[in-house]
């Protein structure tokens, strides 16, 4: 157990080191010394987070003196602000979308899988074909479709179901959360249906049917549990899908999230720290699910 824990700590350290090297890599243009200096600067900033800052675009107005013609000039400049605690709102907003979208995708895929597994075989094939079609559609299609539906419903009824985009005062939550869960939910549902189809052909399922157990009991107590364990193996792919979708969602919803900060023109040290903070919960989740899956199959084997 201790060896496994130390191995996982080493993997976490290698991941953090890779993030630092990637963000310091632009300095390689100036040579190895500049790269080493940039790496040390990023590392120093991570160790001392109270020294980190980020840039905000500030715009000021200036007016020409009278009696000249009245004109307005805009002056833009970058203002450095302390990273903490200003960035925490954006961090918790994005993490709530990621975790909430992940939980919603699991819940919707599980409920749909338990419902569809009772359908006849020909209907399951039709549903799988429809899922393949939905899986081929880009993320932007779902985002625009839901946004347009919210706007259309408001124009027809005068009832605002949810914010269609974020504003300075209010961040959109419900619609981004729903759109973020669609693509991983479709992926999970497809994997669940395919795995259940394979599990139905195994000896233990046939033996349970020969004992007179109902299909509902077999589906929930045997097929569903086994397919959930197999779906945990695809957790890294699902999380990667959530992260890539979150980048698109934050831009299209004008949300002030952590992904816009990481993808923006910000100091490398600040971006590295926020990347590590964003990666850590999902790293723990992946490793925890992997251990749980191993224990499940060991107990099942015994």
């Amino acid at each position: 157990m201790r060896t496994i824990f130390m191995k996982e700590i080493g993997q976490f350290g290698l991941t953090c080191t890779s993030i630092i090297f990637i963000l310091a890599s632009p300095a390689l243009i100036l040579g190895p010394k500049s790269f080493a200096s940039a790496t040390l600067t990023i590392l120093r900033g991570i160790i001392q987070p109270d020294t980190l800052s980020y840039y905000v675009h500030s715009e000021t107005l200036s007016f020409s003196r009278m009696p000249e013609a009245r004109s307005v000039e805009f002056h833009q400049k970058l203002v450095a602000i302390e990273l903490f605690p200003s960035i925490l709102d954006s961090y918790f907003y994005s993490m709530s979308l990621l975790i909430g979208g992940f939980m919603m995708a699991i819940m919707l895929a599980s409920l749909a899988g338990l419902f569809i597994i009772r359908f006849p075989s020909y209907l399951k094939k039709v549903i799988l074909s429809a899922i393949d079609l939905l899986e081929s559609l880009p993320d932007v299609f779902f985002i625009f479709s839901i946004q347009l539906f919210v706007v259309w419903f408001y124009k027809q009824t005068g009832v605002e179901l949810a914010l269609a985009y974020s504003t300075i005062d209010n961040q959109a939550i419900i619609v981004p959360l729903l759109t973020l869960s669609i693509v991983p939910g479709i992926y999970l549902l497809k994997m669940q249906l395919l795995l259940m189809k394979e599990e139905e052909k195994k000896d233990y399922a046939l033996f349970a049917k020969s004992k007179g157990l109902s299909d509902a009991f077999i589906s929930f107590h045997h097929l569903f549990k086994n397919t959930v364990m197999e779906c945990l193996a695809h957790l890294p792919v699902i999380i990667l899908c959530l992260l890539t979708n979150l980048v698109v969602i934050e831009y299209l919803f004008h949300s002030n999230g952590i992904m816009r900060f990481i993808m923006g023109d910000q100091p490398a040290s600040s971006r590295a720290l926020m990347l590590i903070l964003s990666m850590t919960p999902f790293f723990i989740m992946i490793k925890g699910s992997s251990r749980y899956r191993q224990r499940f199959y060991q107990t099942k084997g015994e």
Side-chain angles (χ1 to χ4, degrees):
M1 182 67 67
R2 185 177 179 181
T3 305
I4 296 175
F5 180 74
M6 294 304 296
K7 180 181 178 181
E8 292 173 351
I9 292 295
Q11 292 175 350
F12 179 78
L14 287 174
T15 305
C16 295
T17 304
S18 301
I19 291 173
I20 294 172
F21 284 163
I22 290 172
L23 290 175
S25 59
L28 281 170
I29 299 175
L30 302 177
K33 291 184 179 180
S34 298
F35 174 74
S37 177
T39 303
L40 291 175
T41 301
I42 295 174
L43 187 60
R44 193 181 302 113
I46 294 174
I47 296 174
Q48 299 176 335
D50 56 319
T51 62
L52 296 178
S53 61
Y54 70 101
Y55 300 133
V56 176
H57 290 275
S58 177
E59 191 174 77
T60 58
L61 302 179
S62 65
F63 301 93
S64 58
R65 292 183 178 181
M66 299 297 288
E68 297 179 5
R70 194 71 169 174
S71 61
V72 179
E73 293 183 2
F74 294 90
H75 303 278
Q76 293 186 354
K77 62 178 180 178
L78 290 177
V79 179
I81 300 176
E82 292 184 359
L83 186 65
F84 294 103
S86 302
I87 200 65
L88 291 180
D89 290 339
S90 299
Y91 175 76
F92 287 121
Y93 171 76
S94 295
M95 295 305 295
S96 63
L97 286 183
L98 287 171
I99 296 174
F102 176 70
M103 298 302 295
M104 186 177 290
I106 291 177
M107 181 180 65
L108 294 177
S110 300
L111 292 175
L114 285 174
F115 184 70
I116 295 172
I117 195 65
R118 305 295 304 277
F119 288 179
S121 299
Y122 73 91
L123 195 54
K124 290 180 185 178
K125 292 180 180 179
V126 174
I127 293 174
L128 280 173
S129 300
I131 291 175
D132 289 334
L133 178 62
L134 291 175
E135 201 174 25
S136 64
L137 296 174
D139 309 335
V140 180
F141 172 80
F142 298 107
I143 296 172
F144 283 151
S145 298
I146 295 177
Q147 281 182 325
L148 289 174
F149 174 77
V150 171
V151 174
W152 174 83
F153 189 84
Y154 176 74
K155 292 179 68 176
Q156 296 296 322
T157 63
V159 178
E160 187 178 14
L161 294 175
L163 288 176
Y165 55 89
S166 297
T167 61
I168 297 176
D169 298 326
N170 296 313
Q171 291 269 53
I173 297 178
I174 297 177
V175 179
L177 190 65
L178 181 60
T179 53
L180 189 62
S181 64
I182 290 177
V183 176
I186 291 172
Y187 178 82
L188 276 174
L189 179 59
K190 180 181 178 180
M191 294 303 304
Q192 191 175 1
L193 292 177
L194 292 175
L195 290 170
M196 281 187 175
K197 186 177 179 181
E198 294 179 0
E199 292 289 326
E200 284 179 335
K201 301 176 182 178
K202 292 185 178 180
D203 294 337
Y204 76 90
L206 298 175
F207 178 72
K209 288 182 180 180
S210 65
K211 291 179 65 176
L213 298 176
S214 63
D215 292 338
F217 181 85
I218 296 172
S219 299
F220 183 76
H221 289 276
H222 296 286
L223 301 180
F224 181 71
K225 289 182 179 179
N226 291 341
T227 53
V228 167
M229 290 299 109
E230 288 297 323
C231 286
L232 287 178
H234 299 268
L235 189 58
V237 178
I238 297 169
I239 291 176
L240 181 61
C241 180
L242 287 169
L243 289 172
T244 52
N245 289 346
L246 184 61
V247 176
V248 180
I249 285 174
E250 286 187 358
Y251 273 95
L252 293 181
F253 281 95
H254 301 284
S255 301
N256 186 23
I258 198 63
M259 286 300 168
R260 295 191 69 177
F261 174 84
I262 293 172
M263 301 295 291
D265 186 14
Q266 299 294 340
S269 300
S270 302
R271 294 164 64 195
L273 179 60
M274 298 315 299
L275 268 173
I276 292 172
L277 290 177
S278 301
M279 173 270 298
T280 302
F282 296 104
F283 182 88
I284 296 172
M285 188 184 300
I286 291 171
K287 292 302 178 182
S289 64
S290 178
R291 282 193 179 189
Y292 178 75
R293 185 168 174 265
Q294 290 176 359
R295 289 180 182 178
F296 175 82
Y297 283 117
Q298 288 175 358
T299 304
K300 185 179 177 182
E302 292 172 358

